Amino acid sequence: MTAFKTLARTLAITSLGMTTLMGAATAAQADTLRVGMSGSYYPFTFVERDKLQGFEVDVLNAIGEQTGDDIKFVTASFSGLAGMLDSGRVDTIANQITITPERQEKYAFSEPYVYDGAQVVVRKGNDSIHGVEDLKGKTVIMNLGSNYETLLKSLPYADEINLKTYESNIEQDVALGRADAFVMDRTSASQVIKDKPLPLQLAGQPFSRIENALPFRNDDAGRAQRDRVNEALDTLRDNGTLKEISEKWFGNDITSLPSAEQSEKTGSDT
Amino acid sequence: MIALKGITKRFGEHTVLDGIDLSLERGEIIVVIGPSGTGKSTLLRCINFLERPDAGQLKVGDLSVDAARAKNEDILGLRRRTAFVFQNYALFAHKTALENIAERMIVVEGLSKNDAHARAREILERIGLADKADAYPAALSGGQQQRIGIGRAMAAKAEVILFDEPTSALDPEWVEEVLALMKQLAAEQQTMIVVTHEMQFAREVADRVVFMDGGRIVEQAPPSELFTNPKDERTRSFLRKVLAGNAPAAT
Amino acid sequence: MQALNLDYMLGLVPILLGYLPLTLGMAAAGMVCALILSCALAVIRVSRLPVLNQAAQVFISFFRGTPLLVQLFLFYYGLPQFLSFLVSINGVTATIMGLTLHFSAYMAESIRAAITGIDRSQTEAAQSIGMTNAQTMRRIILPQATRVATPTLMNYFIDMIKSTSLAFTLGVTELMGATQKEAASSFLYFEAFLVVAVIYWIIVEALSWCQKRLEKRLNRAYQR
């Protein structure tokens, strides 16, 4: 009997607590932008000594300063992020999300704020792979839910590539030799190789241009948020803040459309 | 005071009890004997609905029940007016000797734990196991366990205690102490029905011996009469067999 | 190969320990709820209550037959698309609910096995002194079944602690999520996961110690 009483009391307290939380959540929603990110994608979003930081964090905070919104970051494993956006638990995802036609059908994207290329990365000393054309018969890994999978599957010889998707730690598995290569955006790949103690190297040039933007739910509220964010992005681009943040993390500007010669180089994916 | 009328029990096609009529007075002691598989245990189990009779009337004390139409409260009523002593003791394995005896008083009678334990201690005194109050069944000998089992039945203050072969599972060395306790109860005029193969006990203690065969009562009489002058051939044949292995008792 | 980065590991310990209360709290809450639910399920199954028994069977079959991660995704991301009020359930609550539903299905079967394993004579003895079915279950059968089921249930609890790591997919940063994030930024995978492995190990060892003491207590009645 005592056990039941205790339980009843616990349940009562829990439901009380939940009501309070729910109340808080709805009230805060008006001027809070909830941003989902993996917190595991160096240097865009990562946690060091328990502190969430990175390029995306800085950009979103700068956006918040412009719009006056409170920015609330929610970290979840990458495969959970889309679900959080769909189910209304976050308002957007800042995790170097690449614009693709499929995603555009579903989400309302902000304008791009990162321009980059998809990059093949191999273990240091691996001289048999010089780019995407050498991936035939190789094991290539990438993050679950990333768009690189679609990208590789659209190659004419896609059947001959052994594609695997991971929840995390793809860099580690290539460094260990479990897979021949991983595909990532060039910027973070270069950064990983420069900063981290893993034996990795870039294999050739980027093979596809990618544009990153913030996806919002494609409904009235989502589009309204998107429009406000776009305005803020314009301002940040014009006053040089985006460039500044990019140079802080990458040493160069990845936030503006590449010049003609760069697009020639990155456009070699045909 | 206890009256059974037309108690019938079937297991599938097999009729185990075929219309049993039996009645006994307060303080009367009945011993049921008969060949194995003849329905003696089933009869006991039907009286408190451990087995549900298919037909018949039961009257225990002030409660009359039609077996075929017995409701839950009837069944509980019968069980609360009877007590049962099992062949394999069936003590509650997670409870001490004292708690085994006190359990019914707490749960069924609603006594406080203190009162129930005080009364359980009195019973432990009576059955000579006061020093084992806090022992768990696993730590007791077979004889001690069965005496606790009888103590648990005594605690019920039931109209009748039903003994289902209480010594059959015991090592021979423990049989005597259990029979002694039963005799002590008999001397206190406790109403009881005992199913047993202990013919000596039947002779000494029973007011009436009931001989069962094939799911029916063949004959019943005071032991002096039934053992010396059985009327039915089946009774004679059974007694010859069991008493042959028991020479001193046969004289 | 490079040497272990001990400074990094030592620095990580207090950070990760900060997430321990959440991990243990979710597991403990999940265990309490799962114990209650699984006992109810087991009793329903054993007593073969009509309709409820079939419902319990389907429940157990579903939650044993699908991975916990799938259940969490269905529950946390899938259902709110149809039942919008479910959005208000936060990740911690959803994890606890997920653990409860998933593990109660397993635990119900263990408890049921423990109940049916109790000798029939115990039930008869309880009935013979006039206990109702509910009294028999509560005072005689369940306490004895508890002893039989305890080692298995403790194993499920340990399993549950480890399963809380899935909460990170629901946006709850607990012990494992925190480790993953730290490792992904430092790229010191071995160091980070070694630290978290040792933390889990110590917790489980501590629990095993408690389990032994508990079992000793429960077995007190059965020593000759």
Side-chain angles (χ1 to χ4, degrees):
Chain A
M1 277 334 272
T2 352
F4 283 113
K5 263 184 218 156
T6 321
L7 173 73
R9 207 175 305 137
T10 317
L11 281 178
I13 292 168
T14 315
S15 53
L16 200 71
M18 269 171 56
T19 331
T20 324
L21 276 177
M22 279 155 59
T26 13
Q29 216 159 328
D31 50 358
T32 299
L33 188 68
R34 294 165 303 165
V35 181
M37 47 176 51
S38 70
S40 322
Y41 195 45
Y42 184 89
F44 286 90
T45 158
F46 63 99
V47 174
E48 204 165 85
R49 307 258 126 174
D50 224 13
K51 187 176 180 317
L52 184 65
Q53 50 197 307
F55 172 78
E56 301 278 14
V57 175
D58 287 353
V59 170
L60 267 295
N61 279 331
I63 290 174
E65 269 171 41
Q66 292 298 320
T67 60
D69 288 345
D70 278 338
I71 305 293
K72 187 175 169 253
F73 295 107
V74 179
T75 53
S77 60
F78 190 78
S79 52
L81 289 176
M84 300 193 89
L85 179 58
D86 293 350
S87 61
R89 290 187 168 89
V90 296
D91 302 309
T92 187
I93 302 171
N95 207 83
Q96 220 199 359
I97 301 298
T98 299
I99 302 174
T100 66
E102 298 83 17
R103 287 178 183 163
Q104 270 176 316
E105 273 175 32
K106 186 161 181 193
Y107 302 110
F109 272 98
S110 73
E111 43 184 80
Y113 61 100
V114 168
Y115 299 88
D116 204 343
Q119 175 70 49
V120 179
V121 183
V122 295
R123 190 168 199 254
K124 199 167 203 155
N126 180 343
D127 291 326
S128 63
I129 299 174
H130 301 285
V132 70
E133 54 288 343
D134 295 328
L135 294 179
K136 281 186 208 174
K138 305 291 185 192
T139 301
V140 184
I141 61 180
M142 59 211 62
N143 276 320
L144 178 66
S146 72
N147 70 308
Y148 302 117
E149 191 179 355
T150 331
L151 211 59
L152 285 188
K153 279 191 175 153
S154 66
L155 293 171
Y157 47 88
D159 293 351
E160 297 168 61
I161 304 176
N162 181 17
L163 280 183
K164 284 186 182 162
T165 51
Y166 278 39
E167 182 77 23
S168 57
N169 305 353
I170 55 173
E171 304 92 337
Q172 178 78 351
D173 258 15
V174 170
L176 287 173
R178 286 209 190 100
D180 297 306
F182 68 81
V183 177
M184 199 184 250
D185 66 284
R186 182 184 175 85
T187 310
S188 30
S190 314
Q191 206 68 23
V192 166
I193 291 168
K194 190 167 97 206
D195 289 359
K196 300 300 174 184
L198 293 175
L200 296 169
Q201 66 185 28
L202 301 181
Q205 295 298 320
F207 63 93
S208 164
R209 202 174 75 205
I210 52 181
E211 297 181 346
N212 302 146
L214 299 170
F216 292 85
R217 271 183 308 281
N218 202 357
D219 54 25
D220 288 345
R223 284 190 295 269
Q225 282 174 321
R226 191 263 318 264
D227 294 343
R228 285 201 298 169
V229 166
N230 271 346
E231 242 174 81
L233 277 173
D234 283 344
T235 316
L236 294 171
R237 192 183 304 284
D238 291 346
N239 68 17
T241 311
L242 279 184
K243 183 164 184 272
E244 212 175 286
I245 295 173
S246 171
E247 281 173 347
K248 169 184 165 194
W249 290 106
F250 304 105
N252 60 343
D253 184 12
I254 62 166
T255 63
S256 47
L257 199 62
S259 58
E261 86 231 42
Q262 275 173 312
S263 61
E264 209 174 70
K265 204 162 60 179
T266 53
S268 65
D269 56 325
T270 41
Chain B
M1 198 210 56
I2 292 173
L4 312 180
K5 203 164 185 300
I7 298 297
T8 304
K9 176 71 187 172
R10 291 182 207 90
F11 289 127
E13 292 292 290
H14 182 57
T15 301
V16 186
L17 295 178
D18 191 6
I20 300 286
D21 298 333
L22 182 68
S23 59
L24 58 162
E25 296 304 317
R26 182 182 295 277
E28 198 176 3
I29 293 159
I30 289 193
V31 171
V32 183
I33 60 172
S36 302
T38 201
K40 307 185 296 289
S41 288
T42 308
L43 176 63
L44 284 196
R45 293 166 63 85
C46 278
I47 295 175
N48 69 350
F49 270 71
L50 285 179
E51 302 287 354
R52 192 188 177 102
D54 295 309
Q57 266 84 40
L58 299 98
K59 184 169 186 301
V60 177
D62 55 347
L63 181 71
S64 296
V65 175
D66 181 352
R69 266 174 298 205
K71 294 195 210 50
N72 263 343
E73 59 197 81
D74 297 329
I75 295 171
L76 275 183
L78 278 176
R79 287 178 179 162
R80 288 173 184 185
R81 285 168 175 78
T82 58
F84 205 94
V85 175
F86 294 84
Q87 182 176 349
N88 65 356
Y89 340 129
L91 296 183
F92 302 128
H94 63 306
K95 293 191 180 288
T96 62
L98 185 75
E99 290 165 342
N100 262 280
I101 294 172
E103 183 70 6
R104 183 188 188 282
M105 302 186 239
I106 295 170
V107 180
V108 177
E109 292 173 41
L111 255 62
S112 76
K113 198 170 155 184
N114 280 343
D115 292 350
H117 280 194
R119 271 176 54 186
R121 269 181 216 288
E122 286 168 23
I123 290 172
L124 280 171
E125 293 281 352
R126 282 171 65 197
I127 63 178
L129 287 173
D131 56 329
K132 298 292 184 190
D134 296 322
Y136 286 97
L140 297 171
S141 75
Q144 289 168 334
Q145 288 192 58
Q146 191 58 296
R147 281 154 71 196
I148 302 292
I150 294 171
R152 181 171 65 184
M154 288 159 66
K157 294 198 171 145
E159 304 274 355
V160 58
I161 300 182
L162 310 167
F163 291 82
D164 184 11
E165 304 200 23
T167 57
S168 301
L170 288 174
D171 288 340
E173 53 185 314
W174 309 123
V175 171
E176 215 36 61
E177 68 182 66
V178 171
L179 290 179
L181 176 57
M182 290 167 68
K183 286 176 193 165
Q184 181 188 325
L185 282 180
E188 293 167 10
Q189 301 283 296
Q190 168 68 52
T191 316
M192 41 201 222
I193 305 178
V194 184
V195 171
T196 186
H197 296 290
E198 296 288 336
M199 294 304 147
Q200 187 60 35
F201 176 82
R203 251 187 234 271
E204 282 178 36
V205 179
D207 296 316
R208 189 167 17 132
V209 177
V210 171
F211 175 72
M212 275 181 74
D213 193 17
R216 293 182 189 194
I217 293 178
V218 174
E219 65 175 293
Q220 44 183 315
S224 52
E225 197 179 320
L226 190 124
F227 280 110
T228 49
N229 189 17
K231 291 194 179 64
D232 195 282
E233 171 50 33
R234 282 171 291 179
T235 318
R236 279 197 288 273
S237 150
F238 173 76
L239 286 175
R240 263 199 305 278
K241 262 180 238 157
V242 293
L243 296 179
N246 210 347
T251 51
Chain C
M1 289 304 289
Q2 69 236 61
L4 273 187
N5 189 337
L6 283 177
D7 281 350
Y8 173 75
M9 290 171 71
L10 283 177
L12 211 49
V13 170
I15 293 172
L16 294 186
L17 285 182
Y19 291 95
L20 194 55
L22 180 61
T23 289
L24 291 181
M26 288 194 296
M31 190 66 186
V32 171
C33 299
L35 268 178
I36 293 162
L37 182 56
S38 58
C39 278
L41 285 169
V43 170
I44 287 171
R45 296 276 284 115
V46 171
S47 38
R48 295 169 200 274
L49 299 173
V51 186
L52 280 179
N53 185 23
Q54 281 77 12
Q57 259 175 304
V58 172
F59 176 93
I60 290 169
S61 158
F62 177 79
F63 282 99
R64 286 213 306 174
T66 52
L68 176 56
L69 185 62
V70 172
Q71 292 159 15
L72 288 174
F73 271 38
L74 278 178
F75 188 70
Y76 194 64
Y77 298 131
L79 282 185
Q81 294 185 22
F82 305 101
L83 306 165
S84 53
F85 68 92
L86 284 177
V87 174
S88 55
I89 294 176
N90 63 30
V92 174
T93 313
T95 304
I96 294 171
M97 288 169 109
L99 292 173
T100 300
L101 296 174
H102 185 77
F103 279 90
S104 63
Y106 282 91
M107 286 158 55
E109 290 298 273
S110 302
I111 294 172
R112 185 171 76 100
I115 291 174
T116 48
I118 302 298
D119 199 293
R120 169 117 194 94
S121 67
Q122 295 287 311
T123 307
E124 291 192 344
Q127 288 175 340
S128 80
I129 62 172
M131 286 195 193
T132 63
N133 287 341
Q135 287 168 334
T136 304
M137 191 52 92
R138 198 165 46 98
R139 295 192 58 102
I140 305 301
I141 304 303
L142 284 182
Q144 295 190 48
T146 303
R147 167 181 159 269
V148 179
T150 294
T152 324
L153 295 181
M154 281 301 279
N155 285 341
Y156 281 129
F157 183 47
I158 288 168
D159 208 5
M160 198 183 273
I161 291 175
K162 293 186 278 189
S163 297
T164 53
S165 62
L166 291 175
F168 189 43
T169 54
L170 306 191
V172 178
T173 302
E174 41 59 68
L175 192 51
M176 189 63 190
T179 312
Q180 254 173 28
K181 287 194 276 188
E182 295 287 346
S185 71
S186 66
F187 290 83
L188 295 169
Y189 292 99
F190 185 67
E191 281 89 340
F193 288 113
L194 185 59
V195 170
V196 82
V198 170
I199 292 177
Y200 276 117
W201 189 18
I202 291 173
I203 300 169
V204 170
E205 270 308 300
L207 272 173
S208 305
W209 183 80
C210 298
Q211 177 181 354
K212 278 199 203 96
R213 292 191 44 127
L214 182 65
E215 279 172 31
K216 215 170 152 187
R217 238 181 74 99
L218 288 170
N219 279 329
R220 216 179 31 191
Y222 299 82
Q223 255 120 40
R224 280 175 189 282

